[in-house]
Amino acid sequence: MKIGPTVNGVSREVDVPAHHTLLSMLRDNLGLTGTKECCSEGECGACTVILDGQAVNSCLVLAPEADGAEIVTIEGIDHPLQRTFLEKGAVQCGFCIPGMIVAAKCMLDANPDPSEADVRKALEGNLCRCAGYKQIVEAVLAAAEASR
Amino acid sequence: MTRSGGSERATGAQRFTADLRIDGALHVKLVYVNCARARIVAIDKSAAAQVAGVRLIAAADDFPKPMPRCGPAYPDRPLLAVGETKFFGEPVAAVCAETEDAAEEAASLVRVEYEELPAVLTIEQAVASKSNAFGEWRFGWGDVDAARADCVVENTYTFPMVTHFAIEPLAMMAEGDRNGVTIWSPTQHPYVLQRVVAAALDWPVSKVRIVAPDPGGSFGGKAWPKLEPLMAYLALMAGRPVRLVLSLAETIQQTRRTSASIRIRSGFDAAGGIVFQDIEADFLLGAYADIAPRTVAKACYAACGPYRTANARIVARALLSNTTPATAFRGFGTPQASWATESQLNEAAGRLGIDRAEIRRRNLARKGEAFIPGDTPSDGHWEQALNKAMAAIGWGAPLGPNRGRGLSFGIKSSSTASVSNAIVRLHGDGSASILTSTSDMGQGARTVFTQIASRELGIPPDRIAIVMGDTAVTPFDSSTSASRSTVFMGNAILRACEDIRRQLRAIAAELPPRADSEADHEATVGPGDYERLLKRYYGSVRGEVIAVGTARSPYLPDHPLGGKPTFWEVMCAAAEVEVDRETGMVRIVRLALASDVGKALNPEHVRSQDEGAAIMGIGHTLMEQLILDSHGRIVNCGALDYRIPTIQDTPAEILSETIENEDGPGPYGSKGAGEGGVLAIAAAIGAAINEAAGVAIRDLPITPERLWRAIHVA
């Protein structure tokens, strides 16, 4: 099935089986391996991408649903978050980080002046086993301040 | 210094194992049966073989006889189940196909006829079955039976089955022919994997290459060989590279921590001094030994904690079962042992009317004191950790309603009988490369090694490359474990740098004096001189200076652990909690951590590791457990039902401190760190809950249901 999403600002055309997910289309067909797979059931947030302005778990989106949609992945993001995550020591193994940054960016786009509770709410669907949560919250708040 | 490899991780550029591709690789899917233990009657591949794109369907019959068996210490695990499966998740067949879809479809069409057999799933069942005993260790000193105590506390504590749940599931690739095989696996110990794969193939180690990309979290779950030996065979049988990416559910089936039931009888004098510890610990291994026996021995050896203990008797047993093979997991048995011993101190303090911090102060081994007779004495001022934790938590300050505080120590031995080699190459332009087989799984090894080399050679960090994880390139390291790498690999790098400086001085001495006023004098070779010196020495062909550094702790065959600890990793943790009596929910108001690290080479990394480990400990204390049904199937085998701490589960306030007396054996007086946080948390939170709710719970996890029942039903 031919799917025509715009990914990170570039129009793409991909031919994938209809039952494939947006996640596998990005990783396997488009070579954009920055978005990660972990739980495959929408619980961990590692696969978070932005679809038409909303943060979604791409493992739960069928590839055909992305036809004609605007997708933003970690590769398409250039944001103060990426600096503050490093400055605040929020990155350890790094596997959850693309999902975290995408989810955080999506929140900051809608809410540029979040409280700590807002940040925790926005990221409650992103698991981090290294558990750098405290530093992640600090990084998001610092990025919010840097963007103002 | 900003984390090395950090910007790659923040932009999605970092390539983890599942992000790598080999042209022409076949996709592998494993076939399992739907219970823990079963006799395999027949395997019918015919329907599966019809699926377009299937190239190989391998089962036990396709392998050499007898089936090769693997294990890091005990080679007991077959590549695929032979005649019988022994745990839920043990593969019985492997399908290799051109696409993932084809492999998945074919795997679902492999017909396995099986007969379910009775399974041993719990410690009670394993103890009752005579054939499940794997090993027993006895440690101790003094005479427990003759010891006279004023107060005896006797309890049984249990620790559940929990799983690593790294956000990166297991993934691996293999490629090769009779001339050699290469395995890609995010392993913490490339050289252990090399040895085990070579043994499985009956090949020399020199024909096996392990490439180890940085793990996306490991915590011990990617440390010891699992499915890689199978992958080596599949690559050779298929004549094609093979790629296996497990789902999270499959990964959960493959690795867990040993669970335990610990009966402990502790004797105290009226002043709270520890008179004896009488410990009988049963640890439940899985179907195959993996490295779990060592977790039992190592943790129980130091089960009395960092305290002066007049008499001790420790009997530790490892029991096999039809469950997921238990393996290494951050803490390596010590979280289980600490949960018991530290909780005993808390109870004794209550009975004797002694403050629960004070009872520790009275018993804490002083620096230089051999708290385990004949072994490495206390190597730190541990009372400083106690003081800092007490101050940070506000010990003794008035508590609000339904609130309580608890405090606990955790102590873990470093690696024993280990060795690390490092190669340092000073290039012709004065930049440098470090070759090391340490695995950077988030603890920040890359960064710390860069810092050491930068300081020793005077080269800016951005001119230093760290090459890791390739047995064809990076020299031998026994393991990335036991919080050892800053000390051992750090010292190896430091020594290699010292040798670089020595070689440079020798080069300078060999060169004739320069015509101009600036002489290349033996004593004054600095980083600004490197390029010039090497140009003068080698000429236009250029050249480099190369050095090897080694750090080793001696192998002592008569020592119960094979060698003495090089340092002790010690953490004091204190928790303040608030209990909701109506729901059993526990809110951690404040957590204080004080770890004795000798010297924090990268304070931010130490803090991240200590706090991250503590939150992981909150997981096994309050919410994590693998739940099995009567068939031995893991019922909560995924992210939906196996709950690890989320961003909403962290303490409202975490205060972490370090004790830095520069008294460690590592570079600049450092010791190891990274596991301390997970050792002490359970007993600290347990004691806090005890004070807040007036109930003593000795079984983890302290779920809301368990706490509610303890408050309302007992």
Side-chain angles (χ1 to χ4, degrees):
Chain A
M1 183 168 177
K2 287 205 174 20
I3 321 282
T6 301
V7 182
N8 298 328
V10 179
S11 269
R12 308 298 301 254
E13 193 180 89
V14 196
D15 194 354
V16 292
H19 68 281
H20 277 200
T21 61
L22 172 58
L23 176 61
S24 84
M25 185 178 83
L26 290 168
R27 286 179 55 81
D28 302 330
N29 297 97
L30 295 176
L32 294 168
T33 56
T35 307
K36 305 304 178 197
E37 179 157 19
C38 171
C39 78
S40 312
E41 55 184 353
E43 276 296 307
C44 74
C47 68
T48 308
V49 300
I50 302 176
L51 187 152
D52 290 336
Q54 285 219 298
V56 299
N57 289 309
S58 60
C59 72
L60 293 183
V61 177
L62 289 175
E65 294 181 69
D67 187 36
E70 297 259 350
I71 314 281
V72 180
T73 71
I74 184 69
E75 289 93 341
I77 288 177
D78 183 10
H79 191 279
L81 282 164
Q82 287 153 316
R83 176 177 50 80
T84 61
F85 262 62
L86 295 182
E87 283 170 2
K88 294 296 180 183
V91 176
Q92 293 186 51
C93 85
F95 203 81
C96 77
I97 295 300
M100 285 281 181
I101 287 179
V102 171
K105 180 205 184 289
C106 204
M107 178 206 65
L108 290 176
D109 285 348
N111 179 3
D113 188 14
S115 65
E116 187 176 322
D118 290 338
V119 174
R120 287 180 183 274
K121 185 75 190 157
L123 296 182
E124 67 185 2
N126 288 79
L127 296 178
C128 173
R129 192 52 154 165
C130 297
Y133 292 127
K134 178 178 150 192
Q135 290 80 9
I136 288 169
V137 171
E138 289 171 6
V140 177
L141 292 171
E145 192 167 323
S147 304
R148 281 202 286 275
Chain B
M1 189 190 143
T2 319
R3 181 178 293 265
S4 177
S7 63
E8 291 88 328
R9 285 158 168 79
T11 57
Q14 178 69 25
R15 292 168 81 69
F16 296 89
T17 302
D19 302 330
L20 302 174
R21 299 283 184 275
I22 303 176
D23 270 349
L26 295 172
H27 296 270
V28 179
K29 281 283 184 226
L30 300 174
V31 178
Y32 313 96
V33 300
N34 197 20
C35 63
R37 186 166 168 243
R39 186 174 76 84
I40 300 166
V41 175
I43 300 178
D44 180 359
K45 306 172 187 175
S46 55
Q50 301 298 310
V51 174
V54 169
R55 296 290 168 246
L56 172 67
I57 304 173
D61 283 348
D62 300 300
F63 286 78
K65 291 174 180 49
M67 164 68 82
R69 287 177 183 265
C70 303
Y74 308 93
D76 58 351
R77 182 168 171 169
L79 301 177
L80 289 175
V82 185
E84 186 180 309
T85 63
K86 297 208 169 166
F87 72 95
F88 179 62
E90 178 165 22
V92 301
V95 174
C96 307
E98 299 287 352
T99 64
E100 272 189 72
D101 282 347
E104 207 173 306
E105 189 187 342
S108 73
L109 292 173
V110 174
R111 297 262 173 276
V112 182
E113 198 189 322
Y114 65 93
E115 234 171 68
E116 190 168 349
L117 297 171
V120 170
L121 303 173
T122 66
I123 291 175
E124 292 69 34
Q125 290 169 351
V127 169
S129 148
K130 301 306 175 204
S131 53
N132 281 62
F134 181 90
E136 184 178 283
W137 296 263
R138 289 175 180 260
F139 308 119
W141 54 88
D143 187 341
V144 167
D145 294 323
R148 308 190 53 77
D150 297 313
C151 169
V152 176
V153 178
E154 182 167 0
N155 287 304
T156 298
Y157 297 85
T158 66
F159 197 106
M161 293 188 201
V162 293
T163 187
H164 302 73
F165 207 123
I167 308 301
E168 177 199 38
L170 292 177
M172 60 202 75
M173 300 190 294
E175 172 178 57
D177 56 30
R178 61 188 172 77
N179 296 312
V181 78
T182 302
I183 312 269
W184 287 259
S185 173
T187 176
Q188 290 174 228
H189 317 327
Y191 278 93
V192 172
L193 184 55
Q194 183 193 48
R195 171 173 62 79
V196 169
V197 170
L201 293 168
D202 198 16
W203 282 14
V205 150
S206 52
K207 285 174 65 171
V208 175
R209 177 182 180 190
I210 307 296
V211 176
D214 290 0
S218 179
F219 318 108
K222 295 168 179 147
W224 304 91
K226 309 266 177 273
L227 298 163
E228 295 91 340
L230 169 65
M231 290 290 281
Y233 270 89
L234 293 177
L236 295 170
M237 288 158 72
R240 299 267 296 271
V242 288
R243 177 175 182 266
L244 172 64
V245 180
L246 295 190
S247 66
L248 177 65
E250 287 175 295
T251 302
I252 290 173
Q253 290 176 301
Q254 296 304 318
T255 79
R256 70 171 175 88
R257 191 190 281 286
T258 50
S259 46
S261 176
I262 301 176
R263 270 181 318 285
I264 175 169
R265 206 169 57 96
S266 311
F268 300 84
D269 62 33
I274 301 170
V275 173
F276 69 80
Q277 292 283 17
D278 192 5
I279 302 174
E280 259 187 78
D282 285 324
F283 281 72
L284 195 68
L285 273 52
Y288 302 105
D290 199 275
I291 200 65
R294 182 151 171 95
T295 71
V296 178
K298 198 152 179 263
C300 291
Y301 183 72
C304 293
Y307 306 110
R308 190 176 311 116
T309 304
N311 304 277
R313 175 169 57 212
I314 303 164
V315 178
R317 294 192 294 187
L319 303 154
L320 293 167
S321 69
N322 297 114
T323 64
T324 296
T327 185
F329 192 164
R330 202 178 200 174
F332 212 70
T334 300
Q336 299 90 308
S338 307
W339 165 232
T341 311
E342 295 288 330
S343 296
Q344 290 286 88
L345 260 74
N346 292 326
E347 186 165 328
R351 291 223 215 141
L352 292 167
I354 299 171
D355 177 87
R356 284 174 300 173
E358 183 57 29
I359 195 172
R360 286 169 169 85
R361 188 184 304 286
R362 291 182 193 177
N363 289 291
L364 209 52
R366 297 290 176 252
K367 187 170 180 180
E369 200 177 333
F371 61 102
I372 296 176
D375 215 315
T376 307
S378 161
D379 60 353
H381 292 293
W382 297 335
E383 67 279 3
Q384 291 176 6
L386 179 64
N387 294 337
K388 282 203 174 180
M390 289 171 69
I393 202 74
W395 191 264
L399 282 163
N402 299 312
R403 288 202 177 191
R405 286 192 199 99
L407 188 146
S408 169
F409 264 91
I411 181 169
K412 182 174 185 292
S413 159
S414 73
S415 54
T416 61
S418 72
V419 60
S420 296
N421 296 318
I423 293 173
V424 175
R425 298 169 55 193
L426 179 68
H427 304 301
D429 67 347
S431 67
S433 295
I434 318 285
L435 313 186
T436 165
S437 298
T438 297
S439 166
D440 194 335
M441 46 188 160
Q443 84 281 36
R446 247 179 239 286
T447 316
V448 166
F449 297 161
T450 306
Q451 288 176 237
I452 293 170
S454 177
R455 178 164 160 170
E456 292 300 309
L457 295 176
I459 299 174
D462 62 2
R463 300 202 81 215
I464 298 173
I466 308 279
V467 179
M468 278 179 163
D470 185 338
T471 57
V473 175
T474 57
F476 188 91
D477 180 38
S478 43
S479 66
T480 302
S481 66
S483 311
R484 65 183 289 282
S485 301
T486 294
V487 169
F488 283 87
M489 191 58 77
N491 274 341
I493 291 169
L494 194 131
R495 286 166 197 168
C497 290
E498 280 170 355
D499 194 57
I500 297 273
R501 293 200 304 266
R502 182 195 61 73
Q503 291 185 58
L504 287 169
R505 287 195 296 274
I507 286 171
E510 209 182 299
L511 291 169
R514 285 157 55 102
D516 59 19
S517 58
E518 244 185 285
D520 282 320
H521 192 275
E522 186 179 321
T524 60
V525 177
D529 306 313
Y530 295 159
E531 186 172 11
R532 189 166 42 78
L533 202 61
L534 294 179
K535 222 187 237 180
R536 287 191 68 207
Y537 188 67
Y538 285 112
S540 61
V541 297
R542 306 296 209 107
E544 63 181 37
V545 180
I546 183 164
V548 178
T550 298
R552 182 181 80 99
S553 65
Y555 170 48
L556 304 173
D558 294 331
H559 189 288
L561 301 182
K564 293 187 179 185
T566 302
F567 63 87
W568 295 100
E569 185 171 1
V570 170
M571 159 77 76
C572 185
E576 180 176 329
V577 308
E578 185 175 87
V579 169
D580 183 332
R581 296 177 68 87
E582 296 307 308
T583 62
M585 294 284 292
V586 174
R587 189 171 74 89
I588 303 177
V589 173
R590 182 185 291 172
L591 194 61
L593 309 169
S595 56
D596 178 11
V597 298
K599 172 110 188 120
L601 301 192
N602 191 309
E604 181 186 272
H605 283 10
V606 171
R607 196 163 40 245
S608 298
Q609 284 289 296
D610 279 349
E611 294 178 5
I615 293 169
M616 179 174 264
I618 288 170
H620 66 231
T621 303
L622 297 180
M623 66 187 76
E624 290 182 44
Q625 56 182 334
L626 290 169
I627 299 170
L628 307 185
D629 68 12
S630 59
H631 303 281
R633 295 179 299 198
I634 301 170
V635 169
N636 56 342
C637 200
L640 198 54
D641 294 313
Y642 185 93
R643 307 302 296 186
I644 66 171
T646 71
I647 205 167
Q648 300 284 28
D649 298 308
T650 59
E653 197 181 359
I654 307 181
L655 302 155
S656 45
E657 310 243 20
T658 52
I659 313 303
E660 299 185 48
N661 294 315
E662 297 179 14
D663 52 0
Y668 323 122
S670 57
K671 299 174 187 173
E675 294 176 82
V678 79
L679 306 178
I681 289 298
I685 293 177
I689 290 172
N690 173 244
E691 182 168 50
V695 294
I697 297 179
R698 304 188 181 97
D699 305 302
L700 295 179
I702 305 175
T703 58
E705 294 92 330
R706 197 168 243 157
L707 179 53
W708 188 92
R709 284 206 178 91
I711 292 171
H712 296 285
V713 176

